[in-house]
Amino acid sequence: MTKLKLGTIADDKPIKVTVELPGPLHRDLVAYAEILARESGQPLADPVKLIAPMVQRFIATDRGFAKARRQSS
């Protein structure tokens, strides 16, 4: 079983943002969504819905950002 950094996607009230992605990144998102669906046993998620949790996880695990945020508070 593959250990993905993302788990199930929480359904939350979204804020609409428009983003342009390079083709290879979009293909990676599609592949990630397919693997996540297979691993979690849930229906295939819209790959675009993976972007927010990925960014959240990135920010949550960025120690430099956490340190800078604490220092600016």
Side-chain angles (χ1 to χ4, degrees):
M1 180 173 212
T2 305
K3 177 80 171 149
L4 299 178
K5 289 192 175 208
L6 288 182
T8 57
I9 307 301
D11 193 14
D12 197 5
K13 183 173 170 86
I15 307 287
K16 186 145 183 115
V17 176
T18 302
V19 176
E20 289 188 27
L21 301 175
L25 178 55
H26 184 263
R27 288 189 290 278
D28 285 345
L29 281 172
V30 170
Y32 199 103
E34 291 169 350
I35 294 167
L36 184 60
R38 187 171 55 243
E39 295 291 322
S40 68
Q42 294 190 351
L44 181 63
D46 177 1
V48 173
K49 291 188 177 199
L50 298 177
I51 296 169
M54 287 178 162
V55 172
Q56 267 182 320
R57 176 120 174 122
F58 176 83
I59 289 173
T61 59
D62 187 318
R63 291 184 178 146
F65 173 71
K67 182 179 178 183
R69 193 172 198 186
R70 281 191 307 272
Q71 290 174 347
S72 69
S73 297

